[in-house]
């Protein structure tokens, strides 16, 4: 819908930004809470999983902490080029996914910031 009221346009853009921010937060929360289920192929593997559970749990917690720290670090970066360098250096899928989300967010903010305000008559 077209509107000439600048205040209404600002409210609409603010609402769109808020929805995008909420979607990005949901994506980050989903990513941070993902769990990998071990395959169940036999009793021996179940026994190994029980023996290694404390270690795998600790590794998983460390990975979650690292992803949370990365997410905070990404919030502070305001350059798409810098994020692209991080993306190329990232090894884990979850890290790359967070970085790509941050790049999309920055690009959306840049596009929105560059959009000229239409002049009303």
């Amino acid at each position: 819908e077209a509107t000439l009221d600048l205040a209404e346009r600002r409210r609409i853009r603010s609402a769109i930004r808020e929805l995008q921010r909420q979607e990005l937060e949901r994506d980050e929360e989903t990513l941070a809470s993902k769990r990998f289920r071990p395959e169940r192929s036999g009793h021996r593997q179940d026994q190994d999983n029980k023996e290694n559970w404390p270690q795998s749990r600790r590794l998983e917690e460390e990975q979650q902490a690292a992803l949370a720290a990365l997410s905070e670090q990404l919030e502070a970066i305001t350059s798409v080029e810098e994020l692209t360098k991080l993306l190329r250096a990232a090894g884990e899928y979850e890290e790359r996914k967070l970085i790509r989300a941050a790049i999309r967010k920055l690009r959306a903010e840049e596009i929105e910031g560059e959009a000229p305000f239409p002049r009303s008559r």
Side-chain angles (χ1 to χ4, degrees), residues 1 5 10 13 17 32 34 38 45 52 54-55 64 78 101 109 113 120:
E1 298 294 324
D5 184 11
R10 286 186 193 111
R13 281 194 301 273
R17 270 194 308 271
K34 284 207 177 197
Q45 186 176 6
N52 294 326
Q55 181 181 2
Q64 297 302 324
T78 58
E109 289 172 359
S120 60

Side-chain angles (χ1 to χ4, degrees), residues 4-83:
L4 297 177
D5 184 11
L6 292 179
E8 184 178 355
R9 286 175 185 240
R10 286 186 193 111
R11 284 193 301 273
I12 291 169
R13 281 194 301 273
S14 293
I16 291 171
R17 270 194 308 271
E18 180 63 21
L19 289 172
Q20 289 172 335
R21 185 190 61 76
Q22 289 173 357
E23 182 179 356
L24 183 62
E25 286 177 0
R26 279 193 307 272
D27 289 347
E28 290 173 351
E29 289 172 8
T30 302
L31 184 60
S33 68
K34 284 207 177 197
R35 303 282 190 250
F36 296 99
R37 296 183 195 149
E39 294 179 10
R40 302 180 69 82
S41 64
H43 175 72
R44 179 66 190 149
Q45 186 176 6
D46 290 343
Q47 185 64 29
D48 288 344
N49 286 342
K50 288 179 185 176
E51 291 171 0
N52 294 326
W53 186 80
Q55 181 181 2
S56 65
R57 182 75 174 160
R58 181 178 49 82
L59 290 174
E60 185 177 312
E61 289 172 356
E62 288 174 0
Q63 182 182 23
Q64 297 302 324
L67 288 175
L70 177 62
S71 181
E72 290 177 13
Q73 179 186 2
L74 294 176
E75 288 291 324
I77 298 175
T78 58
S79 166
V80 173
E81 292 81 19
E82 207 173 318
L83 287 172

Side-chain angles (χ1 to χ4, degrees), residues 81-98:
E81 292 81 19
E82 207 173 318
L83 287 172
T84 304
K85 288 179 186 176
L86 281 176
L87 180 62
R88 289 182 180 137
E92 294 292 321
Y93 172 77
E94 290 81 10
E95 292 174 358
R96 292 192 309 268
K97 189 172 179 180
L98 278 177

